Amino acid sequence: MRKILMIATGGTIASKSTEHGLAPQLSAEEILSCVPQLAEICQVDSLQLLDLDSTNMRPEHWLKIAETIEKNYEMYEGFVVTHGTDTLSYTAAALSYLIQRSIKPVVLTGSQKSIYIEDTDARRNLFDAFLYASDARSHGVSVVFDGKVITGTRARKMYTKSMNAFSSVDYPELSKILDGKILRYFYEPEMQPRPSFYRALNERVFVLKLIPGLQSEIFEYLEPRYDAVILEGFGVGGVPSYGSEDFLNAIGRFCEAGKTLVLTTQVPHEGSDLGVYQVGARVKENSEVIEAYNMTLEATVAKLMWILGFTSDPRRVREMFYTPVAHDLLLV
């Protein structure tokens, strides 16, 4: 029977009602006591690492989770991280960069309703997460939710209340879990007996959503405050002109200052393609921007923080960004 460590961080799965609304109240042991069937599939130890609504999750917490897994890596065959759903995709993406090519599974799960109430999805999600983490064929960072197994760089929360909250964006689900059985679609052999652990992130990354009429002066404000900006454009991507070159020139100055600018799209599926329209081709031809293609926003944010954690050299940043990690980048 495989030995699994559950790392509890709070979230809805651990919440109870308070006079100010739901808040994490349940300990790791209390969560586990709600699913006694786990004793039939694995040996479980638990650790209460954090006690947060995931809205309050920050990069320093991602590092703390990764550090905890690294410290306990030799003692367990797998890890289950219970987490609030609101930022679970960001944490899954971050752990995919902080813990690379792990032969042991790191599984994130949570719920839309507290495990404390009767009509909850929490018990099924927790059981499925441990079932997947206990299988010798599982490895790497993934999200298990509503019977889906999603690779960590491809998960996104698509619904605020429904039980099927998460989807795999532009990449197949790794597996389905039905009636206590794992249905695997494919296998990934590129894992290491000991993963590559990373211990630094640079939080100075900003996401700027393009809206009609946005002024180019925003880059003057952002340049001294952030090391990288992710610009979410319209459609397949582009930069407005509004009858002048102000926006294009502002991007050029931002890049010339040694900063990183990544262009992506606000559209959830199929990614960017800057070469299609003039508004995209002109910026790609005349500046040092990086294109995210079909990476999720969560993976783009986490990857930039990881890269900038140990280099700010623009050439090196570009090279590392375009090097795929855990299926994050498919179109280059």
Side-chain angles (χ1 to χ4, degrees):
M1 190 172 283
R2 296 171 76 82
K3 192 175 180 182
I4 308 298
L5 177 64
M6 186 182 94
I7 301 170
T9 69
T12 298
I13 194 171
S15 290
K16 293 176 70 174
S17 294
T18 72
E19 61 178 324
H20 300 295
L22 287 171
Q25 301 277 306
L26 301 175
S27 68
E29 287 299 323
E30 288 174 308
I31 292 171
L32 287 172
S33 70
C34 295
V35 192
Q37 308 94 304
L38 293 176
E40 300 172 9
I41 59 173
C42 60
Q43 180 183 342
V44 181
D45 288 340
S46 65
L47 188 157
Q48 188 73 47
L49 183 66
L50 302 166
D51 196 20
L52 298 172
D53 184 303
S54 71
T55 296
N56 293 320
M57 191 71 67
R58 296 179 55 181
E60 65 188 65
H61 300 127
W62 302 339
L63 289 168
K64 194 170 184 179
I65 296 169
E67 178 187 22
T68 300
I69 293 171
E70 182 176 10
K71 287 181 178 178
N72 290 278
Y73 196 79
E74 302 303 328
M75 294 181 283
Y76 295 92
E77 279 87 25
F79 302 87
V80 170
V81 180
T82 57
H83 195 290
T85 58
D86 288 348
T87 59
L88 188 149
S89 294
Y90 284 98
T91 300
L95 293 179
S96 298
Y97 299 111
L98 295 172
I99 308 169
Q100 294 188 27
R101 294 189 173 183
S102 172
I103 201 168
K104 298 179 181 181
V106 176
V107 180
L108 291 91
T109 196
S111 63
Q112 294 287 66
K113 294 187 177 182
S114 169
I115 203 167
Y116 189 70
I117 65 176
E118 186 174 347
D119 63 332
T120 180
D121 56 334
R123 297 186 191 94
R124 180 199 175 185
N125 288 344
L126 194 64
F127 183 86
D128 286 352
F130 274 96
L131 182 70
Y132 190 75
S134 301
D135 193 296
R137 296 167 296 174
S138 301
H139 50 249
V141 177
S142 61
V143 172
V144 171
F145 208 97
D146 191 43
K148 303 172 186 176
V149 182
I150 304 169
T151 193
T153 60
R154 288 285 162 185
R156 171 168 285 182
K157 187 174 182 181
M158 307 296 281
Y159 299 96
T160 58
K161 297 180 180 180
S162 300
M163 302 300 190
N164 61 334
F166 288 87
S167 295
S168 183
V169 177
D170 292 341
Y171 193 79
E173 295 165 6
L174 300 179
S175 305
K176 288 276 192 186
I177 302 178
L178 299 173
D179 299 325
K181 296 180 180 179
I182 303 172
L183 306 179
R184 294 184 179 274
Y185 298 139
F186 56 89
Y187 298 92
E188 303 172 277
E190 298 179 10
M191 298 293 147
Q192 301 171 169
R194 176 76 181 178
S196 299
F197 286 99
Y198 297 88
R199 304 173 186 86
L201 293 168
N202 181 340
E203 297 184 33
R204 288 166 56 90
V205 174
F206 187 82
V207 177
L208 177 63
K209 185 181 289 289
L210 187 64
I211 61 171
L214 182 70
Q215 299 299 305
S216 61
E217 288 81 5
I218 186 67
F219 288 98
E220 296 178 15
Y221 175 83
L222 296 173
E223 189 267 322
R225 293 169 173 83
Y226 293 93
D227 295 327
V229 168
I230 301 165
L231 179 61
E232 286 191 302
F234 308 122
V236 292
V239 170
S241 61
Y242 304 135
S244 75
E245 296 297 310
D246 291 350
F247 221 100
L248 192 63
N249 292 336
I251 287 175
R253 288 192 296 271
F254 186 84
C255 295
E256 288 168 5
K259 306 293 184 174
T260 297
L261 193 137
V262 176
L263 277 171
T264 186
T265 173
Q266 298 172 26
V267 182
H269 293 280
E270 301 182 341
S272 65
D273 189 350
L274 292 177
V276 173
Y277 294 100
Q278 184 184 39
V279 289
R282 59 200 287 273
V283 69
K284 195 169 185 178
E285 293 168 358
N286 294 289
S287 64
E288 295 299 317
V289 301
I290 295 172
E291 185 171 0
Y293 295 101
N294 71 339
M295 285 181 65
T296 67
L297 176 64
E298 294 87 343
T300 305
V301 169
K303 191 170 193 176
L304 278 177
M305 288 185 178
W306 167 65
I307 293 169
L308 294 170
F310 56 87
T311 184
S312 59
D313 177 71
R315 290 185 181 180
R316 182 65 176 143
V317 170
R318 174 181 291 270
E319 177 186 342
M320 292 182 67
F321 190 89
Y322 284 140
T323 300
V325 176
H327 311 296
D328 62 351
L329 184 62
L330 305 177
L331 301 172
V332 179

